[in-house]
Amino acid sequence: MAKTLQQSTLALVTGAASGIGKATALRLLEQKARVVALDRSQESLDALMSETQSHGIIPCCFDLQKIEAIPKLISDLTESHGPITQLVNNAGVWDGGPITEMSDQVWRLNFDVNVGAPFALIRELAPRMLKADGGAIVNVSSRNAYRSSTNNAAYDASKAALVALTRTAAGEFACNNIRVNAVCPGVIDTPGDLSIQEKLFKKAYIKQIPMDRYGRPEEIASVITFLLSHEASFLTGQAIIVDGGQIACQDNKRLVEITALNTSTGTDR
């Protein structure tokens, strides 16, 4: 049986009220950890609290765009609840558009939430983890850190930067018994982007995925909680791609089926 997190473990999960963040929070609860569930939506946090009957969940409504407020946030949380020794930087935004039309505001938003906030959280928590004899950090990046897509320059660049931050942090903190890794999901079936559920798009897109489906939030949560656990005690500085094999291998026969799908619906062009 895998060694689970101890009862005294306090984990901070950002974007914890839905999707991958929620699945991760629930998995950590199963492993008897306490979880600071940070999310910008109070309504979603209330729903999570109701679902879990508040057992082990510490709700925290906070907007990660307010990077300057993160030091006080961490100070208040640790003073009230004890040392946070597990951090999951899951929250992210993906506002996009063509490069020539993208505003500075959209660019900054992606970098503030996807890279700036994780950096600030790591900077604040690493010294506290050191005093607590170590800890583990998982940054949720994206497959797009390695394979970009049009109209996503800010998101793709920010997620690539998060992988680079993971490597640097892992190297700096390794001697302090603090491990830092990243998970890079492919397309995951979450409420975050309804466009991926459009029937024809989904039928066509999964032809690019050898496993012939989207991933599930619980599957990413499993990788995250493994990386947080003692089972991954010699693993740091890595970015694990979890995408059903999409980057690993392209099946040209399956790609031809995409054209067949478009032709059958009269949308081939």
Side-chain angles (χ1 to χ4, degrees):
M1 180 180 295
K3 186 174 181 180
T4 58
L5 300 171
Q6 299 300 311
Q7 177 67 47
S8 59
T9 297
L10 180 59
L12 169 59
V13 179
T14 68
S18 64
I20 292 170
K22 178 181 177 180
T24 301
L26 294 177
R27 182 63 59 86
L28 289 170
L29 289 180
E30 290 175 2
Q31 297 183 344
K32 309 303 181 185
R34 293 177 298 145
V35 179
V36 176
L38 185 151
D39 201 279
R40 65 181 178 179
S41 169
Q42 185 62 58
E43 181 181 357
S44 297
L45 282 172
D46 290 343
L48 177 63
M49 292 292 286
S50 177
E51 180 177 339
T52 61
Q53 298 182 340
S54 303
H55 295 316
I57 288 285
I58 301 166
C60 178
C61 189
F62 185 82
D63 186 345
L64 289 170
Q65 290 187 71
K66 300 176 181 178
I67 296 176
E68 72 284 352
I70 286 178
K72 184 177 187 305
L73 169 73
I74 295 302
S75 178
D76 291 346
L77 285 172
T78 53
E79 183 176 345
S80 298
H81 305 289
I84 296 169
T85 57
Q86 311 284 342
L87 170 63
V88 180
N89 282 312
N90 166 72
V93 297
W94 46 90
D95 295 44
I99 291 174
T100 56
E101 299 174 15
M102 185 176 292
S103 67
D104 291 343
Q105 181 181 5
V106 167
W107 181 266
R108 285 194 297 266
L109 172 64
N110 278 269
F111 271 82
D112 283 351
V113 176
N114 297 347
V115 187
F119 168 78
L121 287 166
I122 292 170
R123 182 178 58 189
E124 293 302 314
L125 284 172
R128 292 171 167 85
M129 290 181 180
L130 174 59
K131 291 180 181 178
D133 299 322
I137 298 167
V138 176
N139 296 320
V140 180
S141 180
S142 170
R143 184 234 27 229
N144 281 39
Y146 299 94
R147 178 183 176 181
S148 298
S149 56
T150 56
N151 300 328
N152 278 306
Y155 177 78
D156 295 350
S158 67
K159 288 300 187 177
L162 186 57
V163 170
L165 173 62
T166 298
R167 291 194 297 263
T168 303
E172 290 190 11
F173 302 139
C175 61
N176 302 128
N177 194 32
I178 300 171
R179 296 181 300 102
V180 188
N181 291 288
V183 174
C184 301
V187 179
I188 306 300
D189 201 351
T190 72
D193 188 354
L194 295 178
S195 66
I196 65 172
Q197 304 297 345
E198 194 277 323
K199 189 174 181 180
L200 180 58
F201 177 89
K202 185 173 183 178
K203 279 187 176 181
Y205 195 91
I206 62 175
K207 298 301 179 183
Q208 303 178 68
I209 304 173
M211 293 187 73
D212 201 42
R213 64 177 177 84
Y214 294 164
R216 299 186 296 273
E218 294 77 15
E219 292 174 309
I220 307 303
S222 293
V223 179
I224 292 171
T225 52
F226 164 72
L227 292 173
L228 292 174
S229 77
H230 295 292
E231 298 297 320
S233 58
F234 197 54
L235 203 165
T236 196
Q238 301 305 303
I240 300 177
I241 300 172
V242 190
D243 69 347
Q246 185 176 357
I247 284 183
C249 183
Q250 175 177 297
D251 184 341
N252 290 332
K253 182 179 179 181
R254 287 173 58 79
L255 288 179
V256 170
E257 295 175 10
I258 296 175
T259 300
L261 280 171
N262 287 335
T263 303
S264 68
T265 58
T267 58
D268 187 39
R269 60 183 184 274

